[in-house]
Amino acid sequence: MAQYESNVKHVPYSQEQVYNKLSDLNHLSSLRDRMDLIKEKLDGKLEDMSFDTDSLTLKVQGISLTLRIIEREAPKCIKFEGANSPIPMNLWIQMLPVGATEAKLKVTIRAEVNMFMKAMVAKPLQEGVEKLADMLAMIPYNN
């Protein structure tokens, strides 16, 4: 089992605003309008993104990955499980309050990979978890 964590990101919104937006993935529809900017920020690696209330599907460099919410712990954590994933994995987003109008968040991925695979996937997974955290820090959580 390998674990990859993003750096802590600060967002200028309350913990509740961040949790409320991310706990129902339909709220991410505003990202669809900003898709070109997001692709640019992610160096063109993200090709497509779709979502419903409980799942998010990303197409990155020709590989589709679906993440389904398996647990919500209001207002501090949302846990996902990989579906149709090339490797068994879990992802969670942790949110902590900094003040009434600021929160910090961190993204963690835990993947079941053998030692051979670990050498191949370590860098892409670490980069992926960091880019996802960056993307989450850019979202406007007030609407």
Side-chain angles (χ1 to χ4, degrees), residues 83-141:
N84 304 326
S85 170
I87 54 174
M89 64 181 290
N90 287 24
L91 177 144
W92 56 99
I93 303 168
Q94 295 167 284
M95 295 139 283
L96 292 171
V98 174
T101 60
E102 187 180 357
K104 51 187 180 178
L105 62 84
K106 181 170 86 170
V107 177
T108 304
I109 291 177
R110 186 174 288 160
E112 285 187 40
V113 291
N114 61 36
M115 292 307 287
F116 173 72
M117 289 290 292
K118 189 173 184 179
M120 293 189 334
V121 302
K123 186 177 179 192
L125 283 176
Q126 185 61 50
E127 286 177 359
V129 77
E130 203 61 52
K131 299 268 187 197
L132 179 56
D134 287 342
M135 184 177 84
L136 293 172
M138 293 185 330
I139 294 173
Y141 289 98

Side-chain angles (χ1 to χ4, degrees), residues 3 5-6 8-9 15 18-19 22 73 75-80 91-97 103-108 136:
Q3 184 166 305
E5 296 180 355
S6 73
V8 173
K9 307 296 178 184
Q15 177 187 25
V18 175
Y19 177 84
L22 296 178
E73 190 180 334
K76 57 186 178 178
C77 188
I78 303 167
K79 295 182 182 179
F80 297 81
L91 177 144
W92 56 99
I93 303 168
Q94 295 167 284
M95 295 139 283
L96 292 171
K104 51 187 180 178
L105 62 84
K106 181 170 86 170
V107 177
T108 304
L136 293 172

